[in-house]
Amino acid sequence: MANKLVSEMRLPPHLAHLLAARRLTTAKDVLSLPEVELMTLLDAGILTARAAVSHVSEFACPPCQTALALLEERVRLGGGGRLPTTLCGLDEALGGGIPLGKLTEVVGPSGIGKTQLCLKLALLATLPECYGGLNGRVVYIDTESKFSSRRMIEIGQKSFPQVFRQEGLAQKMAGRILVMRPTSLSDFTKSLEQMKVTLLQNDVKLLIVDSVAALTSSENERGTSTTGFTQHPLRWALSFLKSIAEFARIPVVVTNQVRSQSNDDGYHYSFEVKKMGDGNGAERIESHLVAALGIQWAHAVTIRLVFESHSGHRFIKVAKSPMSPAVAFPFIVESSGITLLTDEGIDVSGPEITSIRCQGQNLLGLGE
Amino acid sequence: MKNEIQESVGILKADKGANKFKGAEEPSGVLKGAQNAWDMLSEEQLQKHISTGSSDLNGILGGGIHCKEVTEIGGVPGVGKTQLGIQLAINVQIPMDYGGLGGKAVYIDTEGSFMVERVYQIAEGCISDIMEYFPYHHDKSSSGQGNLQPERFLAGIYYFRICSYTEQIAVINYLEKFLGEHKDVRIVIIDSVTFHFRQDFDDLALRTRVLSGLSLKLMKLSKTYNLAVVLLNQVTTKFTEGSFQLTLALGDSWSHSCTNRLILYWKGNERCAYLDKSPSLPVASTPYAVTSKGVRDAATPNCKRVRIM
C-alpha cells in the first residue's frame, strides 16, 4: 500500500501533474513529508497541498473491516487458525495452538529444549490434516547448525508410530522440510528476500528461525543509546517476518537466546525511582537473565513462550499472549520430544511470568 | 470566583447581543471561534466518560477516558495495553440505557495483536456484567435482550490493519472523511502508535516533524467529532539521572502531544496504572487486573483468577 503509485490513483489532473513534476511517485513519497514541507516542494498553496494529501491518503489507506467480519472470515477459513502442538495444556492456553499469521517467539537458556520444540513443530506441519498437521512444506532456517534430521525422525517415530510405520511416509515428510543455513546476518537477509516468492507460491505452511539471536552480536544491541534511538540490527528481518506471517497466513516461530542482565537495562520508570528514595535507584528484579534482542523486539512479537528451569524442573511459560492467562507448564524432553508433565497449568502472577531463571542443572538432557 | 465568572459571562453576553455573527452557535461575540470557560465547564460536566472496566482505574481518570481528549497509554510488553484497548473498544458501545455512550469504535492495529477470539470473550464478559447490574432492565425493553449479543459489539468495531508508517499516516488523514460518514464513532484507538515509526524511519528529525503533524490532526479530530483518541505506546530505555530508566517511546517532543498519559507497570505481583499527565487530575496510581472477562478491578487476595477456556 505504501508503494502505491500516484499515477494509478485517479487524482484530479492538476494535482497529478504537480506531484509527477516533483517526482513524488508513490504514496510513501507524498505522505512522508509534513504539510508545510510538501507545500514548499510543490510550490503551491496550503489548500492544494492538503487536497493532494487527502486524496493520496484515501487511496493508500487499507480497507476497513468490522471485527465481526474478521470473526466470520476466521470461521470460514476453518481450523480456528492454529497449529496444534499436541501438548494439550499448552494448546488449550494458547487457544488451540500456535496461531497462524502471527510471530511466536520461544526464548530460554541454552540446552533447555527450544530446538526440540522447533523440530516437533516442523514435523507436525508436514503431517496430513487427518493427523492434526498442516499438510505443507516447512522452511527451517538453522543458524546454529543444530538441526538434526536423525533426531527429528526419532521424534516422529516415537510420537506418531502409526504414521511412521507406513512405507516411505517418513521420507515424504522429511522431504517437505527445507533447511537453510545462513552464516551471517546479510546472508540471512538475502535468503529471506529470495524466499518471499517461494513462501507465497509453494505451499509453505510454517517458517522456523532457530535462532535469530545468533545472527547479531551482543554489541550491536545497545549501540549508542544516550539519544534513546538505536537502530535495531534486525529491524528489516522483523518487519519481513511479521508481514510474511500475515500475508501468507502461516505461523512463524522464532527462537531467541538469553543474556545476563546488565546495568544498561532500565527497569523502572522515573516516578518509581523517586518513590524508592535516593539510595535504591538500581534495585534489581530477581531474575538474572533476560531475553536477548532488547525491549523493542519484545514489543514486536505477538506470543512469547519462555522456557526456564528452577527447582529441578523445566517450565514452559506463556509470557506474552493477547489471549492467554499467565500459566506455566512443567515439561521434560524425552525420545518423543517435549512432553508436558501435567496439562493443568500453574498460574503465575505478576512479572514473574516474563522472568527467566536458569538454576544449576544438568543441561545434557537432549533425549535418551 | 463564581461571581467573577458570572460577571464576565454577563459582559460577553451583552457584547454578543451587539454584534450579530453568522452562525448562531457563536457563544462569544468578542473572538470568533472562541468559547467562554463557563460554557466549557457546563459542557464538560455533561460529558460521559468511557469506562475502562475497572472502577479504580476510572476513579484516577476522573470517571473514565474523556472524549475530546487524546490519551496516551504506555507500558512494557505483556502488561496489558492491547487488553485495555480492546476493553475500551467494547465499553464505548455499552448502550446509553446502561450508562454507556452507545457509540462505535475505530481500532487501528499496527502490530497484529488484535485477536478476534479475545475480543469476543471480552464482549461476552461485558454483557454478563451488564446483565448482573441491570437484572430487570432488559426485560422491559423488547429489543433489549436482542441488542446485547457479542456479535453486535464486534460489528461496532471498525478495524484497520496498518503495515507501514505510510499507511498509518494515510489512515489518520482518511479518518477525517471516515468520521464524517460514521458519526456514531466515539473512540479511536491506535495500537500501537510507535511500532512503524521506530522500525522504518531513518531520519530522526523528519520523524519528529511528521509525528507532531499527526498529533495535531488527532487532537483536531477528537475535538471536531467529539470522540476520545487513545494511543498505545511502547517503552524504551533512556539515560537520565545517572542510570537507565524506562520511558515511553518516540521521544521528548512526542510526549507533549497528548492531553493525558497513563503508564501501565508491574508493582510486585500486580498490574498498576499511573496517571502521569493530566490537565485537571492529580497524579495517582491504582492497581487493576486483567481477567478472562477483560480489564477489571484488582482481585482480592483470596480470589483466584479464572482460566480462559
Side-chain angles (χ1 to χ4, degrees):
Chain A
M1 287 284 174
N3 294 329
K4 258 194 158 163
L5 293 174
V6 170
S7 48
E8 291 171 11
M9 283 185 201
R10 295 169 309 193
L11 293 176
H14 68 281
L15 284 177
H17 290 148
L18 205 49
L19 292 173
R22 295 286 184 271
R23 292 210 216 113
L24 298 171
T25 44
T26 63
K28 185 171 170 174
D29 294 332
V30 176
L31 295 176
S32 308
L33 297 169
E35 235 166 44
V36 178
E37 290 182 29
L38 185 64
M39 211 169 87
T40 327
L41 185 63
L42 292 179
D43 205 13
I46 187 80
L47 290 176
T48 319
R50 278 197 191 144
V53 165
S54 84
H55 272 105
V56 172
S57 299
E58 191 170 342
F59 283 105
C61 182
C64 164
Q65 271 182 302
T66 61
L68 187 61
L70 281 182
L71 184 67
E72 287 167 354
E73 193 189 320
R74 180 68 57 82
V75 167
R76 197 169 34 90
L77 289 174
R82 296 283 195 279
L83 166 63
T85 63
T86 69
L87 304 169
C88 296
L90 184 62
D91 281 344
E92 207 189 301
L94 290 177
I98 309 279
L100 303 188
K102 313 270 182 217
L103 187 58
T104 304
E105 182 197 21
V106 173
V107 62
S110 66
I112 203 164
K114 307 188 290 293
T115 306
Q116 300 302 304
L117 181 65
C118 291
L119 291 176
K120 190 156 197 182
L121 288 176
L123 202 61
L124 284 171
T126 60
L127 289 180
E129 271 157 25
C130 49
Y131 296 112
L134 295 178
N135 200 23
R137 288 205 163 87
V138 175
V139 173
Y140 194 108
I141 300 181
D142 178 19
T143 60
E144 294 174 327
S145 298
K146 281 200 192 143
F147 184 84
S148 157
S149 8
R150 189 193 61 78
R151 172 63 179 145
M152 195 183 63
I153 305 281
E154 189 192 350
I155 293 179
Q157 282 167 343
K158 294 282 166 61
S159 335
F160 305 100
Q162 71 281 24
V163 177
F164 278 76
R165 222 178 293 143
Q166 298 177 34
E167 271 298 318
L169 203 61
Q171 186 184 3
K172 186 175 169 204
M173 295 301 124
R176 284 179 171 179
I177 302 182
L178 310 164
V179 181
M180 301 187 67
R181 295 206 150 120
T183 45
S184 68
L185 183 57
S186 47
D187 224 359
F188 173 63
T189 317
K190 231 180 287 163
S191 18
L192 276 187
E193 259 172 336
Q194 287 166 352
M195 208 193 297
K196 199 153 82 168
V197 178
T198 324
L199 281 174
L200 291 170
Q201 285 179 348
N202 276 30
D203 209 26
V204 173
K205 291 288 170 81
L206 173 63
L207 173 61
I208 298 182
V209 183
D210 177 18
S211 71
V212 72
L215 296 167
T216 60
S217 60
S218 51
E219 298 117 276
N220 283 347
E221 202 188 310
R222 187 105 294 261
T224 49
S225 58
T226 43
T227 54
F229 184 66
T230 51
Q231 297 276 15
H232 200 281
L234 284 175
R235 4 173 253 183
W236 184 84
L238 175 59
S239 305
F240 179 86
L241 291 172
K242 282 191 89 148
S243 57
I244 203 75
E246 280 208 34
F247 289 129
R249 270 201 61 90
I250 56 173
V252 174
V253 178
V254 170
T255 329
N256 194 3
Q257 296 168 346
V258 295
R259 57 169 175 82
S260 43
Q261 244 175 14
S262 67
N263 277 324
D264 288 356
D265 291 313
Y267 21 75
H268 290 295
Y269 293 97
S270 50
F271 59 84
E272 288 179 288
V273 175
K274 277 182 205 130
K275 273 192 203 160
M276 292 188 301
D278 295 25
N280 296 339
E283 197 181 290
R284 280 176 185 259
I285 307 173
E286 255 179 59
S287 114
H288 300 292
L289 298 172
V290 290
L293 301 179
I295 204 163
Q296 195 175 341
W297 176 268
H299 273 296
V301 297
T302 313
I303 308 246
R304 173 175 266 191
L305 298 174
V306 170
F307 281 39
E308 67 162 12
S309 77
H310 69 98
S311 334
H313 292 293
R314 303 187 190 187
F315 294 89
I316 299 181
K317 296 199 288 202
V318 181
K320 178 182 177 188
S321 164
M323 57 174 298
S324 316
V327 286
F329 299 94
F331 74 96
I332 51 168
V333 181
E334 357 170 80
S335 54
S336 60
I338 290 194
T339 336
L340 294 184
L341 288 175
T342 163
D343 284 329
E344 287 290 315
I346 304 165
D347 279 332
V348 177
S349 54
E352 213 187 285
I353 191 72
T354 51
S355 63
I356 308 172
R357 283 175 285 186
C358 178
Q359 286 173 1
Q361 47 134 22
N362 187 356
L363 292 175
L364 294 177
L366 264 188
E368 268 96 336
Chain B
M1 188 62 188
K2 214 170 168 185
N3 285 331
E4 287 167 64
I5 295 180
Q6 281 182 333
E7 206 183 356
S8 327
V9 170
I11 297 174
L12 290 168
K13 277 192 181 150
D15 222 318
K16 181 182 171 187
N19 307 323
K20 285 260 163 83
F21 276 80
K22 278 190 214 163
E25 288 122 345
E26 289 296 334
S28 151
V30 179
L31 276 178
K32 190 172 171 193
Q35 197 184 13
N36 70 60
W38 187 253
D39 284 346
M40 281 178 74
L41 179 62
S42 335
E43 231 179 65
E44 257 176 48
Q45 282 167 345
L46 290 173
Q47 280 280 11
K48 272 194 181 156
H49 299 130
I50 304 173
S51 165
T52 57
S54 150
S55 54
D56 292 334
L57 195 48
N58 288 344
I60 62 166
L61 290 170
I65 300 287
H66 299 241
C67 289
K68 286 198 169 178
E69 287 181 13
V70 175
T71 307
E72 184 184 11
I73 302 181
V76 292
V79 77
K81 304 185 290 296
T82 303
Q83 302 299 306
L84 189 51
I86 296 175
Q87 185 71 61
L88 290 170
I90 297 283
N91 283 1
V92 74
Q93 299 182 57
I94 297 176
M96 293 213 193
D97 289 343
Y98 304 109
L101 277 81
K104 298 229 167 96
V106 166
Y107 197 99
I108 299 174
D109 183 6
T110 64
E111 296 179 337
S113 35
F114 188 80
M115 297 188 94
V116 145
E117 301 98 332
R118 179 62 174 151
V119 181
Y120 192 89
Q121 216 176 29
I122 293 185
E124 281 179 327
C126 178
I127 293 172
S128 80
D129 277 2
I130 293 178
M131 303 287 220
E132 211 184 293
Y133 292 142
F134 297 90
Y136 306 112
H137 197 263
H138 66 268
D139 288 338
K140 289 191 225 159
S141 51
S142 52
S143 57
Q145 222 8 308
N147 275 346
L148 287 187
Q149 297 292 331
E151 282 81 4
R152 276 293 294 251
F153 281 83
L154 260 69
I157 302 179
Y158 296 110
Y159 176 79
F160 289 88
R161 174 72 175 102
I162 299 295
C163 301
S164 70
Y165 72 80
T166 313
E167 285 183 18
Q168 195 169 330
I169 299 172
V171 75
I172 293 175
N173 290 336
Y174 175 62
L175 272 182
E176 225 173 328
K177 186 170 175 202
F178 186 85
L179 293 173
E181 291 163 4
H182 298 88
K183 289 246 157 81
D184 46 1
V185 171
R186 303 306 299 281
I187 190 169
V188 171
I189 300 161
I190 306 187
D191 176 15
S192 63
V193 72
T194 331
F195 182 63
H196 294 296
F197 283 92
R198 263 176 130 179
Q199 284 278 101
D200 308 319
F201 241 101
D202 287 321
D203 183 348
L204 195 44
L206 178 61
R207 187 181 88 161
T208 312
R209 294 198 296 281
V210 171
L211 283 174
S212 64
L214 283 186
S215 73
L216 284 175
K217 286 209 178 92
L218 289 169
M219 273 203 258
K220 185 177 166 204
L221 285 174
S222 74
K223 299 241 185 289
T224 319
Y225 295 101
N226 190 17
L227 44 84
V229 174
V230 173
L231 307 176
L232 301 181
N233 199 357
Q234 296 176 354
V235 297
T236 181
T237 49
K238 187 166 113 168
F239 192 79
T240 50
E241 296 169 15
S243 67
F244 281 94
Q245 285 177 0
L246 288 176
T247 183
L248 296 194
L250 294 180
D252 295 320
S253 325
W254 173 259
S255 63
H256 293 294
S257 344
C258 59
T259 320
N260 305 295
R261 189 180 308 125
L262 194 66
I263 298 184
L264 307 178
Y265 65 105
W266 288 105
K267 187 170 172 183
N269 273 353
E270 282 188 313
R271 294 180 156 89
C272 280
Y274 177 77
L275 183 68
D276 186 42
K277 177 180 177 187
S278 162
S280 55
L281 296 161
V283 296
S285 73
T286 180
Y288 69 98
V290 177
T291 68
S292 57
K293 283 179 167 185
V295 175
R296 296 289 185 271
D297 283 330
T300 54
N302 295 324
C303 179
K304 190 163 188 252
R305 190 156 37 90
V306 178
R307 262 183 55 187
I308 299 183
M309 295 166 94

